[in-house]
């Protein structure tokens, strides 16, 4: 038995014969002030993202690869970090092949130690999925997985995120409850509410200090 098991064993023993105290907080305190008509959620999220220099593009499940390609071309970017293991990674790769486009695709398929310099200094853009969006704060929920590690959305200067309009909810409490985060929370879940920015130095706002300096959200509307 290791130290961790001994500590957990003692904690469990200390609870013997006790009765859990029921939560007495009022859910309405966390939800009622931040609830919106369903038809207003996407608009609110987009407005809040745009207010902090995020870019939003309303598109569809079929058209988003073309919009991503246009965004890359307008910035003279010819490389994109994707996950070939995801459906959206495969869809974008298929779009490039079908249209004869030459964007170079990179895969996060090695431990970061094996390609740290390339990831941090020679990877201009990345594409990831999201777990949903939060209308109250204009935030994306990015859920790191082995297929899409967290550095995919934190390191490249341009982060392109795919968000289904149907997965935009009112508030953080709602998404945590409906998706049952308590049962499957990863080591960290990312809430992204715009490009990285800081005003620590002489109170001058600068973008890209702690992550991507550009964020493009492709909002996939229902057919």
């Amino acid at each position: 038995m290791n130290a961790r098991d001994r500590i957990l064993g003692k904690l469990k023993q200390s609870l013997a014969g006790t009765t859990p105290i029921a939560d007495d907080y009022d859910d309405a305190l966390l939800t009622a002030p931040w609830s919106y008509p369903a038809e207003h959620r996407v608009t609110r999220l987009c407005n809040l993202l745009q207010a902090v220099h995020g870019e939003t593009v309303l598109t569809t499940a079929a058209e988003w690869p073309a919009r991503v390609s246009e965004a890359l071309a307008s910035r003279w970017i010819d490389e994109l970090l994707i996950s070939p293991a995801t459906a959206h990674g495969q869809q974008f790769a298929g779009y490039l092949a079908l249209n004869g486009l030459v964007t170079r695709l990179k895969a996060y398929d090695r431990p970061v130690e094996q390609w740290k310099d390339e990831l941090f200094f020679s990877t201009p853009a990345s594409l990831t999925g999201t777990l949903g969006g939060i209308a109250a704060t204009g935030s994306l929920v990015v859920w790191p997985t082995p297929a899409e590690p967290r550095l995919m959305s934190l390191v490249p200067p341009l982060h392109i995120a795919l968000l289904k309009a149907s997965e935009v909810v009112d508030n953080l409490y709602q998404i945590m409850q409906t998706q049952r985060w308590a049962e499957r929370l990863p080591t960290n879940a990312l809430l992204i509410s715009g490009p990285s920015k800081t005003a620590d130095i002489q109170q001058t706002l600068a973008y890209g200090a702690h992550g991507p300096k550009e964020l493009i959200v492709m909002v996939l509307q229902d057919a």
Side-chain angles (χ1 to χ4, degrees):
M1 179 180 293
N2 57 34
R4 176 180 177 275
D5 292 335
R6 287 195 296 270
I7 293 172
L8 291 177
K10 290 180 180 179
L11 290 174
K12 291 178 181 178
Q13 291 175 9
S14 69
L15 296 175
T18 62
T19 301
I21 299 175
D23 293 327
D24 60 356
Y25 62 84
D26 185 354
D27 292 2
L29 295 176
L30 305 173
T31 57
W34 298 280
S35 298
Y36 312 94
E39 65 273 18
H40 294 170
R41 291 174 190 150
V42 170
T43 299
R44 177 180 172 85
L45 179 139
C46 290
N47 287 342
L48 290 175
L49 281 171
Q50 292 165 10
V52 292
H53 290 228
E55 182 177 338
T56 60
V57 178
L58 299 180
T59 182
T60 67
E63 294 295 327
W64 71 260
R67 305 290 83 77
V68 169
S69 187
E70 291 168 1
L72 296 175
S74 69
R75 293 163 173 79
W76 299 95
I77 294 175
D78 60 2
E79 291 185 339
L80 181 66
L81 179 62
I82 67 167
S83 171
T86 62
H88 50 268
Q90 295 166 10
Q91 183 180 353
F92 189 70
Y95 169 82
L96 295 181
L98 182 64
N99 291 275
L101 302 178
V102 294
T103 301
R104 179 188 172 204
L105 299 181
K106 292 183 179 180
Y108 197 137
D109 54 5
R110 294 160 284 168
V112 65
E113 293 78 13
Q114 295 181 10
W115 69 304
K116 184 183 296 184
D117 287 347
E118 181 181 356
L119 174 62
F120 277 79
F121 302 112
S122 302
T123 303
S126 67
L127 170 72
T128 75
T130 64
L131 196 67
I134 301 172
T137 55
S139 303
L140 308 177
V141 179
V142 176
W143 197 268
T145 66
E148 289 187 340
R150 65 190 182 98
L151 291 183
M152 285 187 67
S153 61
L154 294 178
V155 172
L158 169 62
H159 176 208
I160 302 175
L162 303 178
L163 171 66
K164 294 180 180 178
S166 59
E167 294 179 348
V168 177
V169 302
D170 288 334
N171 49 69
L172 177 61
Y173 182 83
Q174 182 182 0
I175 201 169
M176 292 177 68
Q177 293 296 311
T178 57
Q179 297 183 357
R180 304 171 73 170
W181 283 22
E183 299 177 12
R184 60 189 190 97
L185 194 66
T187 53
N188 64 335
L190 307 177
L191 300 181
I192 299 176
S193 302
S196 167
K197 53 190 174 296
T198 182
D200 290 346
I201 302 175
Q202 296 183 345
Q203 297 184 347
T204 300
L205 185 62
Y207 289 87
H210 308 295
K213 64 180 180 181
E214 284 191 274
L215 171 67
I216 301 177
V217 182
M218 299 284 167
V219 183
L220 313 186
Q221 297 177 299
D222 297 331

